[in-house]
Amino acid sequence: GVPVVMTDTGCAPWLKAQGCAVISEESHHDADAIECAMVMPMNRLQASLVPTIADSAKAQMASWQEVLKPRLLVVMQAVDLDDRLVGYFVEWLSKAATIFGSLSVFALRVGRYELPPSVSVSALRPKDSRSKLITLWRLFTLSWQQRHRYDGVFLRGDAIYVVVAGWFWRMLGKKVVLWYAHYKPNILLPMAEHIATAVTTSVPEAYPGRSGYAVKGLGQGIDESRFSLSDKKKNEKIRLLVLGRVQPIKGVKEIINEFINEGAYGAKTELTIVGPALDEAYEIEIDALIAPRQDIRWIKGLPYDEIPALLAEQDILVNAYPGSLDKVIVESMMSGMIPVVATRGLIHTVPQEWRWMVAETADERIRAIRKILSLAPEERARYAERVRELAIRDHSMTGQIKRLAKLFS
């Protein structure tokens, strides 16, 4: 019992491959041919073959999509899970491996890492070597040897690589994309802008290049799975948090004075400061300010992996730094904290009616905090849910990688 199909010779090979007995129009009167098989009604034949065709098409499409994924060369400082500054980027590479066809990574320093087979890692200089000549030699040698393994180059933060080797990659027909997100200008950026296919950053305010240059914002690239919402309605007091390095440019002293002068905002709040002081004199000054207070605490050091638990306990992030949108702001929002920040970088994420969260002066900051304190617990909970959604939409790690991939497609 196999289906018997009468067809022209063009379709016969495919139908035979599907398990059908095929007879031609000329021989369809041959009784022996028909008696040897059970003829399947047309509607049953369609029902059996259409899913087969659909499955085959889906498999073929998936295969082509895999082939068409861009392959990427990533050039960066270090690949090392034990590095407190860039250790998180190993997770970025793992996620990028699911979006790009393959990854080749060149790093100045290679330490401990766990990455999928589609990611290869090469050191640009031997261990304990500081030779720039060896580094440049290996950069060009590896780029040439592996030229058939990548379609484009992504340089993480080092404009010098674009200036030195960008022309070489462009000559090989590769797209060159630079990531630069730092408030300090770099004298090499104008040259890098002319050589690179595109320059990217987290938000436009984080890029100090030429005025009017069309830099592309990719978001901060935070792994949202590390941060979660918690029920903060049970807190007796509203908890304010200052997170990051304690230094004059961050306005920590000003935030403390506002807290004290406002009487802890009617004794309804408590303030936590987390981060090391970079200046001894400033540290002594802050210590003296908070010493008499029971409602202010300063944690001068906290491991990176303990930050999510801390953020889950807090209600409002207060940040007086007017520069770019810091990662801690996004991480706090992903934890459901309502931000009161000085950076205009937040404007790109929150809706128009929430622009009061961008508090560039002391008066604006005080008004914003008092506005949050006036909200009912249920309304604050709705704000918490929404700010997390907005942070994930614009700054998730997966979203950043997908936006980057479009630049190479």
Side-chain angles (χ1 to χ4, degrees):
V2 297
V4 177
V5 182
M6 183 175 69
T7 182
D8 56 32
T9 54
C11 296
W14 186 88
L15 287 165
K16 286 180 179 179
Q18 310 307 312
C20 298
V22 179
I23 58 175
S24 66
E25 291 185 3
E26 290 78 10
S27 62
H28 75 276
H29 295 296
D30 187 341
D32 293 336
I34 297 177
E35 287 177 1
C36 73
M38 178 181 70
V39 178
M40 179 179 289
M42 184 55 67
N43 60 343
R44 285 182 58 200
L45 176 64
Q46 291 173 334
S48 66
L49 293 185
V50 168
T52 303
I53 297 170
D55 292 343
S56 177
K58 286 179 181 178
Q60 189 69 23
M61 180 65 70
S63 175
W64 275 108
Q65 286 174 342
E66 194 65 30
V67 170
L68 293 174
K69 282 183 178 179
R71 301 165 302 166
L72 192 63
L73 167 61
V74 182
V75 183
M76 56 186 299
Q77 286 288 328
V79 177
D80 187 359
L81 283 169
D82 299 320
D83 189 307
R84 294 187 65 181
L85 292 177
V86 298
Y88 75 94
F89 205 71
V90 175
E91 177 64 22
W92 190 96
L93 291 170
S94 294
K95 287 186 181 292
T98 66
I99 295 171
F100 288 90
S102 65
L103 296 178
S104 301
V105 183
F106 297 170
L108 282 178
R109 184 173 58 79
V110 177
R112 184 175 66 90
Y113 63 87
E114 297 174 7
L115 291 167
S118 62
V119 182
S120 66
V121 180
S122 304
L124 285 177
R125 65 186 179 200
K127 190 175 181 181
D128 300 325
S129 170
R130 306 291 294 181
S131 172
K132 293 181 179 179
L133 186 60
I134 292 177
T135 300
L136 286 176
W137 173 256
R138 285 187 59 79
L139 177 64
F140 281 101
T141 301
L142 289 170
S143 295
W144 174 258
Q145 290 174 345
Q146 299 188 28
R147 66 190 183 279
H148 299 304
R149 295 182 55 185
Y150 59 92
D151 305 304
V153 185
F154 179 51
L155 301 114
R156 185 80 183 184
D158 289 311
I160 189 170
Y161 288 125
V162 180
V163 174
V164 170
W167 63 270
F168 178 72
W169 290 314
R170 294 298 298 269
M171 185 181 69
L172 292 175
K174 314 297 183 181
K175 292 183 178 180
V176 177
V177 175
L178 170 66
W179 164 277
Y180 195 92
H182 201 286
Y183 68 93
K184 288 185 178 179
N186 186 310
I187 59 173
L188 297 177
L189 278 180
M191 293 178 64
E193 291 171 354
H194 287 293
I195 297 171
T197 311
V199 178
T200 62
T201 188
S202 53
V203 293
E205 289 76 10
Y207 185 68
R210 284 184 299 140
S211 176
Y213 180 78
V215 65
K216 295 176 172 55
L218 299 181
Q220 282 285 8
I222 307 296
D223 181 6
E224 69 272 20
S225 66
R226 296 184 64 244
F227 306 94
S228 59
L229 288 173
S230 63
D231 184 9
K232 300 174 184 178
K233 290 184 289 185
K234 59 186 179 182
N235 294 348
E236 292 182 7
K237 290 187 175 182
I238 300 299
R239 300 177 179 182
L240 312 182
L241 176 68
V242 176
L243 178 61
R245 288 170 294 187
V246 176
Q247 55 189 136
I249 196 173
K250 297 298 182 73
V252 178
K253 178 183 173 182
E254 288 74 12
I255 292 172
I256 295 172
N257 280 325
E258 291 158 16
F259 180 86
I260 294 171
N261 294 336
E262 290 294 314
Y265 296 95
K268 297 177 182 177
T269 63
E270 55 188 28
L271 176 63
T272 298
I273 303 162
V274 177
L278 301 186
D279 177 81
E280 186 178 355
Y282 195 65
E283 181 177 7
I284 293 171
E285 198 173 353
I286 299 297
D287 277 331
L289 264 178
I290 67 175
R293 310 287 305 195
Q294 297 296 316
D295 49 7
I296 304 177
R297 62 172 177 159
W298 183 8
I299 303 172
K300 297 184 180 182
L302 192 68
Y304 181 69
D305 57 0
E306 294 182 22
I307 294 294
L310 169 79
L311 297 181
E313 300 173 348
Q314 307 298 314
D315 299 288
I316 302 172
L317 178 79
V318 187
N319 189 302
Y321 176 58
S324 63
L325 187 71
D326 198 276
K327 285 180 64 177
V328 300
I329 299 174
V330 177
E331 292 172 345
S332 300
M333 292 174 67
M334 288 183 176
S335 302
M337 294 180 63
I338 302 175
V340 176
V341 299
T343 174
R344 297 184 65 81
L346 187 65
I347 288 175
H348 306 288
T349 295
V350 298
Q352 177 71 38
E353 61 270 22
W354 286 9
R355 297 290 170 86
W356 55 265
M357 294 179 182
V358 179
E360 298 179 84
T361 67
D363 287 342
E364 290 176 348
R365 195 157 46 242
I366 292 168
R367 283 199 300 270
I369 292 173
R370 288 198 171 279
K371 179 180 178 68
I372 297 169
L373 293 177
S374 69
L375 300 174
E378 294 75 17
E379 193 170 359
R380 281 201 305 272
R382 286 194 290 272
Y383 268 96
E385 292 176 2
R386 183 60 179 149
V387 294
R388 173 175 164 80
E389 291 172 359
L390 293 172
I392 292 174
R393 181 196 68 187
D394 290 352
H395 298 284
S396 72
M397 186 177 288
T398 301
Q400 183 195 70
I401 297 169
K402 287 181 177 178
R403 285 187 281 272
L404 175 65
K406 288 181 181 179
L407 298 179
F408 291 99
S409 58

